[in-house]
Amino acid sequence: MELRIAKSALDDLQAIQEYYKDQDVPQIGDQYVAAILTHFEMLQPHPDAGRVVPEFNLDHIRELIHTPFRAVYLRQEIEVVLIRVWRSERQLILPDNESLTTHNPIGLR
C-alpha cells in the first residue's frame, strides 16, 4: 500500500510547526510532526487501522488519533492519502476534491 500526503495535510503539518515556533518551542512542533508521520506510516501494512470519521460515516474516510491531533486519511484501493491534520476539538471540514489531489506527494517508507 502506497502512502501519500495531500497538499492540505502538508499545509496543516507546516502550520503545526509554525504555531509551536511562534510559542518559542519549535522542538515541540517538530516532535509532533515527526510522531504524526511515524504513526501514519503504520497504515502501509494496516490501512484500515484508523477509525471511520464519525462526521461522515464513510468507510474510506478514516482517521488516526494522535492526541491532540486527528490525522484524517482516504483509504483507497492502492494508496492511503493523508488529507488533514487538525486539533481534535476542531470541527472537521474536508477540502474540495481539487484539494484532495496529492500535489508534491511524499512517499513514506
PDB file of all heavy atoms in Angstrom, residues 71-96:
ATOM      1  N   ALA A  71      -5.540  12.819  12.445  1.00  0.00           N
ATOM      2  CA  ALA A  71      -4.915  12.687  11.130  1.00  0.00           C
ATOM      3  C   ALA A  71      -5.923  11.959  10.237  1.00  0.00           C
ATOM      4  O   ALA A  71      -6.121  10.757  10.360  1.00  0.00           O
ATOM      5  CB  ALA A  71      -3.609  11.910  11.232  1.00  0.00           C
ATOM      6  N   VAL A  72      -6.584  12.711   9.367  1.00  0.00           N
ATOM      7  CA  VAL A  72      -7.655  12.172   8.530  1.00  0.00           C
ATOM      8  C   VAL A  72      -7.065  11.724   7.194  1.00  0.00           C
ATOM      9  O   VAL A  72      -6.265  12.440   6.581  1.00  0.00           O
ATOM     10  CB  VAL A  72      -8.752  13.237   8.302  1.00  0.00           C
ATOM     11  CG1 VAL A  72      -9.871  12.685   7.427  1.00  0.00           C
ATOM     12  CG2 VAL A  72      -9.308  13.714   9.644  1.00  0.00           C
ATOM     13  N   TYR A  73      -7.469  10.524   6.766  1.00  0.00           N
ATOM     14  CA  TYR A  73      -6.934   9.989   5.522  1.00  0.00           C
ATOM     15  C   TYR A  73      -8.017   9.312   4.692  1.00  0.00           C
ATOM     16  O   TYR A  73      -9.058   8.918   5.211  1.00  0.00           O
ATOM     17  CB  TYR A  73      -5.778   9.023   5.790  1.00  0.00           C
ATOM     18  CG  TYR A  73      -6.134   7.742   6.505  1.00  0.00           C
ATOM     19  CD1 TYR A  73      -6.405   6.571   5.799  1.00  0.00           C
ATOM     20  CD2 TYR A  73      -6.177   7.684   7.895  1.00  0.00           C
ATOM     21  CE1 TYR A  73      -6.701   5.381   6.452  1.00  0.00           C
ATOM     22  CE2 TYR A  73      -6.469   6.499   8.561  1.00  0.00           C
ATOM     23  CZ  TYR A  73      -6.735   5.347   7.834  1.00  0.00           C
ATOM     24  OH  TYR A  73      -7.040   4.174   8.483  1.00  0.00           O
ATOM     25  N   LEU A  74      -7.737   9.234   3.397  1.00  0.00           N
ATOM     26  CA  LEU A  74      -8.600   8.500   2.473  1.00  0.00           C
ATOM     27  C   LEU A  74      -7.993   7.125   2.257  1.00  0.00           C
ATOM     28  O   LEU A  74      -6.827   7.015   1.870  1.00  0.00           O
ATOM     29  CB  LEU A  74      -8.691   9.222   1.125  1.00  0.00           C
ATOM     30  CG  LEU A  74      -9.363  10.584   1.109  1.00  0.00           C
ATOM     31  CD1 LEU A  74      -9.307  11.176  -0.298  1.00  0.00           C
ATOM     32  CD2 LEU A  74     -10.796  10.480   1.584  1.00  0.00           C
ATOM     33  N   ARG A  75      -8.777   6.118   2.482  1.00  0.00           N
ATOM     34  CA  ARG A  75      -8.350   4.730   2.268  1.00  0.00           C
ATOM     35  C   ARG A  75      -8.819   4.368   0.863  1.00  0.00           C
ATOM     36  O   ARG A  75     -10.005   4.199   0.609  1.00  0.00           O
ATOM     37  CB  ARG A  75      -8.996   3.866   3.330  1.00  0.00           C
ATOM     38  CG  ARG A  75      -8.724   2.394   3.495  1.00  0.00           C
ATOM     39  CD  ARG A  75      -7.925   1.713   2.525  1.00  0.00           C
ATOM     40  NE  ARG A  75      -7.747   0.309   2.936  1.00  0.00           N
ATOM     41  CZ  ARG A  75      -7.573  -0.646   2.080  1.00  0.00           C
ATOM     42  NH1 ARG A  75      -7.583  -0.403   0.784  1.00  0.00           N
ATOM     43  NH2 ARG A  75      -7.374  -1.871   2.491  1.00  0.00           N
ATOM     44  N   GLN A  76      -7.874   4.332  -0.075  1.00  0.00           N
ATOM     45  CA  GLN A  76      -8.205   3.999  -1.455  1.00  0.00           C
ATOM     46  C   GLN A  76      -7.691   2.599  -1.782  1.00  0.00           C
ATOM     47  O   GLN A  76      -7.029   1.968  -0.957  1.00  0.00           O
ATOM     48  CB  GLN A  76      -7.624   5.061  -2.393  1.00  0.00           C
ATOM     49  CG  GLN A  76      -8.211   6.430  -2.092  1.00  0.00           C
ATOM     50  CD  GLN A  76      -7.605   7.542  -2.915  1.00  0.00           C
ATOM     51  OE1 GLN A  76      -6.514   7.423  -3.450  1.00  0.00           O
ATOM     52  NE2 GLN A  76      -8.324   8.649  -3.019  1.00  0.00           N
ATOM     53  N   GLU A  77      -7.998   2.129  -2.977  1.00  0.00           N
ATOM     54  CA  GLU A  77      -7.665   0.741  -3.334  1.00  0.00           C
ATOM     55  C   GLU A  77      -6.166   0.452  -3.292  1.00  0.00           C
ATOM     56  O   GLU A  77      -5.741  -0.571  -2.771  1.00  0.00           O
ATOM     57  CB  GLU A  77      -8.215   0.416  -4.712  1.00  0.00           C
ATOM     58  CG  GLU A  77      -8.142  -1.060  -5.043  1.00  0.00           C
ATOM     59  CD  GLU A  77      -8.885  -1.385  -6.322  1.00  0.00           C
ATOM     60  OE1 GLU A  77      -9.981  -0.847  -6.538  1.00  0.00           O
ATOM     61  OE2 GLU A  77      -8.333  -2.188  -7.098  1.00  0.00           O
ATOM     62  N   ILE A  78      -5.360   1.367  -3.837  1.00  0.00           N
ATOM     63  CA  ILE A  78      -3.921   1.090  -3.900  1.00  0.00           C
ATOM     64  C   ILE A  78      -3.074   2.072  -3.086  1.00  0.00           C
ATOM     65  O   ILE A  78      -1.851   1.933  -3.040  1.00  0.00           O
ATOM     66  CB  ILE A  78      -3.422   1.073  -5.363  1.00  0.00           C
ATOM     67  CG1 ILE A  78      -3.654   2.432  -6.027  1.00  0.00           C
ATOM     68  CG2 ILE A  78      -4.067  -0.046  -6.142  1.00  0.00           C
ATOM     69  CD1 ILE A  78      -2.984   2.584  -7.374  1.00  0.00           C
ATOM     70  N   GLU A  79      -3.719   3.049  -2.468  1.00  0.00           N
ATOM     71  CA  GLU A  79      -2.953   4.005  -1.672  1.00  0.00           C
ATOM     72  C   GLU A  79      -3.791   4.561  -0.537  1.00  0.00           C
ATOM     73  O   GLU A  79      -5.017   4.496  -0.537  1.00  0.00           O
ATOM     74  CB  GLU A  79      -2.418   5.149  -2.537  1.00  0.00           C
ATOM     75  CG  GLU A  79      -3.472   6.081  -3.075  1.00  0.00           C
ATOM     76  CD  GLU A  79      -2.901   7.190  -3.942  1.00  0.00           C
ATOM     77  OE1 GLU A  79      -1.675   7.270  -4.145  1.00  0.00           O
ATOM     78  OE2 GLU A  79      -3.697   8.001  -4.427  1.00  0.00           O
ATOM     79  N   VAL A  80      -3.068   5.112   0.420  1.00  0.00           N
ATOM     80  CA  VAL A  80      -3.665   5.827   1.543  1.00  0.00           C
ATOM     81  C   VAL A  80      -3.156   7.262   1.427  1.00  0.00           C
ATOM     82  O   VAL A  80      -1.959   7.498   1.274  1.00  0.00           O
ATOM     83  CB  VAL A  80      -3.233   5.217   2.891  1.00  0.00           C
ATOM     84  CG1 VAL A  80      -3.692   6.081   4.048  1.00  0.00           C
ATOM     85  CG2 VAL A  80      -3.771   3.802   3.031  1.00  0.00           C
ATOM     86  N   VAL A  81      -4.090   8.229   1.472  1.00  0.00           N
ATOM     87  CA  VAL A  81      -3.718   9.634   1.311  1.00  0.00           C
ATOM     88  C   VAL A  81      -4.091  10.401   2.572  1.00  0.00           C
ATOM     89  O   VAL A  81      -5.277  10.495   2.932  1.00  0.00           O
ATOM     90  CB  VAL A  81      -4.433  10.266   0.090  1.00  0.00           C
ATOM     91  CG1 VAL A  81      -3.981  11.714  -0.084  1.00  0.00           C
ATOM     92  CG2 VAL A  81      -4.175   9.464  -1.173  1.00  0.00           C
ATOM     93  N   LEU A  82      -3.092  10.921   3.255  1.00  0.00           N
ATOM     94  CA  LEU A  82      -3.318  11.786   4.406  1.00  0.00           C
ATOM     95  C   LEU A  82      -3.854  13.109   3.881  1.00  0.00           C
ATOM     96  O   LEU A  82      -3.217  13.735   3.020  1.00  0.00           O
ATOM     97  CB  LEU A  82      -2.012  12.001   5.170  1.00  0.00           C
ATOM     98  CG  LEU A  82      -2.083  12.827   6.450  1.00  0.00           C
ATOM     99  CD1 LEU A  82      -2.959  12.135   7.494  1.00  0.00           C
ATOM    100  CD2 LEU A  82      -0.682  13.053   6.999  1.00  0.00           C
ATOM    101  N   ILE A  83      -5.052  13.530   4.342  1.00  0.00           N
ATOM    102  CA  ILE A  83      -5.651  14.740   3.771  1.00  0.00           C
ATOM    103  C   ILE A  83      -5.752  15.904   4.750  1.00  0.00           C
ATOM    104  O   ILE A  83      -5.755  17.055   4.321  1.00  0.00           O
ATOM    105  CB  ILE A  83      -7.040  14.454   3.155  1.00  0.00           C
ATOM    106  CG1 ILE A  83      -7.987  13.832   4.165  1.00  0.00           C
ATOM    107  CG2 ILE A  83      -6.907  13.607   1.905  1.00  0.00           C
ATOM    108  CD1 ILE A  83      -9.418  13.699   3.670  1.00  0.00           C
ATOM    109  N   ARG A  84      -5.846  15.655   6.050  1.00  0.00           N
ATOM    110  CA  ARG A  84      -5.915  16.748   7.024  1.00  0.00           C
ATOM    111  C   ARG A  84      -5.276  16.300   8.325  1.00  0.00           C
ATOM    112  O   ARG A  84      -5.360  15.128   8.701  1.00  0.00           O
ATOM    113  CB  ARG A  84      -7.365  17.159   7.334  1.00  0.00           C
ATOM    114  CG  ARG A  84      -8.188  17.729   6.223  1.00  0.00           C
ATOM    115  CD  ARG A  84      -7.629  18.922   5.487  1.00  0.00           C
ATOM    116  NE  ARG A  84      -7.074  19.979   6.267  1.00  0.00           N
ATOM    117  CZ  ARG A  84      -7.343  21.278   6.109  1.00  0.00           C
ATOM    118  NH1 ARG A  84      -8.225  21.654   5.216  1.00  0.00           N
ATOM    119  NH2 ARG A  84      -6.733  22.194   6.808  1.00  0.00           N
ATOM    120  N   VAL A  85      -4.685  17.245   9.034  1.00  0.00           N
ATOM    121  CA  VAL A  85      -4.182  17.016  10.391  1.00  0.00           C
ATOM    122  C   VAL A  85      -4.624  18.217  11.209  1.00  0.00           C
ATOM    123  O   VAL A  85      -4.116  19.325  11.012  1.00  0.00           O
ATOM    124  CB  VAL A  85      -2.646  16.864  10.429  1.00  0.00           C
ATOM    125  CG1 VAL A  85      -2.180  16.612  11.853  1.00  0.00           C
ATOM    126  CG2 VAL A  85      -2.188  15.751   9.499  1.00  0.00           C
ATOM    127  N   TRP A  86      -5.603  17.987  12.067  1.00  0.00           N
ATOM    128  CA  TRP A  86      -6.186  19.081  12.849  1.00  0.00           C
ATOM    129  C   TRP A  86      -6.250  18.715  14.312  1.00  0.00           C
ATOM    130  O   TRP A  86      -6.308  17.541  14.677  1.00  0.00           O
ATOM    131  CB  TRP A  86      -7.612  19.354  12.375  1.00  0.00           C
ATOM    132  CG  TRP A  86      -7.691  20.160  11.127  1.00  0.00           C
ATOM    133  CD1 TRP A  86      -6.677  20.756  10.454  1.00  0.00           C
ATOM    134  CD2 TRP A  86      -8.875  20.453  10.408  1.00  0.00           C
ATOM    135  NE1 TRP A  86      -7.167  21.398   9.347  1.00  0.00           N
ATOM    136  CE2 TRP A  86      -8.513  21.231   9.304  1.00  0.00           C
ATOM    137  CE3 TRP A  86     -10.217  20.137  10.589  1.00  0.00           C
ATOM    138  CZ2 TRP A  86      -9.435  21.708   8.387  1.00  0.00           C
ATOM    139  CZ3 TRP A  86     -11.125  20.601   9.680  1.00  0.00           C
ATOM    140  CH2 TRP A  86     -10.742  21.387   8.595  1.00  0.00           C
ATOM    141  N   ARG A  87      -6.325  19.752  15.132  1.00  0.00           N
ATOM    142  CA  ARG A  87      -6.533  19.521  16.563  1.00  0.00           C
ATOM    143  C   ARG A  87      -7.891  18.845  16.756  1.00  0.00           C
ATOM    144  O   ARG A  87      -8.847  19.131  16.049  1.00  0.00           O
ATOM    145  CB  ARG A  87      -6.459  20.833  17.331  1.00  0.00           C
ATOM    146  CG  ARG A  87      -5.019  21.371  17.352  1.00  0.00           C
ATOM    147  CD  ARG A  87      -4.804  22.440  18.380  1.00  0.00           C
ATOM    148  NE  ARG A  87      -5.141  22.039  19.717  1.00  0.00           N
ATOM    149  CZ  ARG A  87      -4.274  21.594  20.636  1.00  0.00           C
ATOM    150  NH1 ARG A  87      -3.007  21.449  20.312  1.00  0.00           N
ATOM    151  NH2 ARG A  87      -4.669  21.292  21.839  1.00  0.00           N
ATOM    152  N   SER A  88      -7.947  17.964  17.693  1.00  0.00           N
ATOM    153  CA  SER A  88      -9.137  17.132  17.914  1.00  0.00           C
ATOM    154  C   SER A  88     -10.406  17.932  18.172  1.00  0.00           C
ATOM    155  O   SER A  88     -11.491  17.506  17.779  1.00  0.00           O
ATOM    156  CB  SER A  88      -8.898  16.186  19.090  1.00  0.00           C
ATOM    157  OG  SER A  88      -7.838  15.324  18.794  1.00  0.00           O
ATOM    158  N   GLU A  89     -10.298  19.073  18.802  1.00  0.00           N
ATOM    159  CA  GLU A  89     -11.508  19.828  19.153  1.00  0.00           C
ATOM    160  C   GLU A  89     -12.081  20.638  17.981  1.00  0.00           C
ATOM    161  O   GLU A  89     -13.187  21.146  18.068  1.00  0.00           O
ATOM    162  CB  GLU A  89     -11.254  20.753  20.347  1.00  0.00           C
ATOM    163  CG  GLU A  89     -10.266  21.870  20.093  1.00  0.00           C
ATOM    164  CD  GLU A  89      -8.812  21.499  20.361  1.00  0.00           C
ATOM    165  OE1 GLU A  89      -8.508  20.323  20.613  1.00  0.00           O
ATOM    166  OE2 GLU A  89      -7.978  22.418  20.308  1.00  0.00           O
ATOM    167  N   ARG A  90     -11.364  20.734  16.877  1.00  0.00           N
ATOM    168  CA  ARG A  90     -11.863  21.485  15.716  1.00  0.00           C
ATOM    169  C   ARG A  90     -12.923  20.703  14.968  1.00  0.00           C
ATOM    170  O   ARG A  90     -12.843  19.486  14.844  1.00  0.00           O
ATOM    171  CB  ARG A  90     -10.723  21.804  14.745  1.00  0.00           C
ATOM    172  CG  ARG A  90      -9.828  22.913  15.248  1.00  0.00           C
ATOM    173  CD  ARG A  90      -8.804  23.315  14.235  1.00  0.00           C
ATOM    174  NE  ARG A  90      -9.426  23.833  13.029  1.00  0.00           N
ATOM    175  CZ  ARG A  90      -8.742  24.178  11.954  1.00  0.00           C
ATOM    176  NH1 ARG A  90      -7.437  24.041  11.930  1.00  0.00           N
ATOM    177  NH2 ARG A  90      -9.370  24.643  10.891  1.00  0.00           N
ATOM    178  N   GLN A  91     -13.895  21.415  14.432  1.00  0.00           N
ATOM    179  CA  GLN A  91     -14.911  20.803  13.585  1.00  0.00           C
ATOM    180  C   GLN A  91     -14.259  20.370  12.284  1.00  0.00           C
ATOM    181  O   GLN A  91     -13.500  21.118  11.675  1.00  0.00           O
ATOM    182  CB  GLN A  91     -16.028  21.816  13.303  1.00  0.00           C
ATOM    183  CG  GLN A  91     -17.142  21.306  12.426  1.00  0.00           C
ATOM    184  CD  GLN A  91     -18.006  20.271  13.112  1.00  0.00           C
ATOM    185  OE1 GLN A  91     -17.976  20.140  14.317  1.00  0.00           O
ATOM    186  NE2 GLN A  91     -18.765  19.533  12.341  1.00  0.00           N
ATOM    187  N   LEU A  92     -14.531  19.158  11.863  1.00  0.00           N
ATOM    188  CA  LEU A  92     -13.914  18.631  10.658  1.00  0.00           C
ATOM    189  C   LEU A  92     -14.668  19.084   9.423  1.00  0.00           C
ATOM    190  O   LEU A  92     -15.864  18.859   9.287  1.00  0.00           O
ATOM    191  CB  LEU A  92     -13.885  17.097  10.700  1.00  0.00           C
ATOM    192  CG  LEU A  92     -13.260  16.421   9.497  1.00  0.00           C
ATOM    193  CD1 LEU A  92     -11.790  16.817   9.367  1.00  0.00           C
ATOM    194  CD2 LEU A  92     -13.386  14.924   9.621  1.00  0.00           C
ATOM    195  N   ILE A  93     -13.949  19.746   8.508  1.00  0.00           N
ATOM    196  CA  ILE A  93     -14.474  20.137   7.205  1.00  0.00           C
ATOM    197  C   ILE A  93     -13.437  19.696   6.189  1.00  0.00           C
ATOM    198  O   ILE A  93     -12.294  20.144   6.234  1.00  0.00           O
ATOM    199  CB  ILE A  93     -14.709  21.658   7.115  1.00  0.00           C
ATOM    200  CG1 ILE A  93     -15.681  22.105   8.190  1.00  0.00           C
ATOM    201  CG2 ILE A  93     -15.189  22.049   5.727  1.00  0.00           C
ATOM    202  CD1 ILE A  93     -15.769  23.613   8.343  1.00  0.00           C
ATOM    203  N   LEU A  94     -13.819  18.808   5.294  1.00  0.00           N
ATOM    204  CA  LEU A  94     -12.881  18.330   4.291  1.00  0.00           C
ATOM    205  C   LEU A  94     -12.756  19.331   3.151  1.00  0.00           C
ATOM    206  O   LEU A  94     -13.729  19.998   2.789  1.00  0.00           O
ATOM    207  CB  LEU A  94     -13.339  16.983   3.735  1.00  0.00           C
ATOM    208  CG  LEU A  94     -13.287  15.825   4.721  1.00  0.00           C
ATOM    209  CD1 LEU A  94     -13.804  14.562   4.054  1.00  0.00           C
ATOM    210  CD2 LEU A  94     -11.881  15.599   5.226  1.00  0.00           C
ATOM    211  N   PRO A  95     -11.554  19.409   2.549  1.00  0.00           N
ATOM    212  CA  PRO A  95     -11.386  20.286   1.396  1.00  0.00           C
ATOM    213  C   PRO A  95     -12.135  19.724   0.194  1.00  0.00           C
ATOM    214  O   PRO A  95     -12.505  18.552   0.168  1.00  0.00           O
ATOM    215  CB  PRO A  95      -9.872  20.263   1.161  1.00  0.00           C
ATOM    216  CG  PRO A  95      -9.420  18.973   1.760  1.00  0.00           C
ATOM    217  CD  PRO A  95     -10.358  18.692   2.910  1.00  0.00           C
ATOM    218  N   ASP A  96     -12.331  20.574  -0.824  1.00  0.00           N
ATOM    219  CA  ASP A  96     -12.999  20.095  -2.036  1.00  0.00           C
ATOM    220  C   ASP A  96     -12.108  19.078  -2.751  1.00  0.00           C
ATOM    221  O   ASP A  96     -10.947  18.905  -2.409  1.00  0.00           O
ATOM    222  CB  ASP A  96     -13.370  21.252  -2.954  1.00  0.00           C
ATOM    223  CG  ASP A  96     -12.159  22.060  -3.411  1.00  0.00           C
ATOM    224  OD1 ASP A  96     -11.046  21.509  -3.475  1.00  0.00           O
ATOM    225  OD2 ASP A  96     -12.321  23.244  -3.704  1.00  0.00           O
TER     226      ASP A  96
END
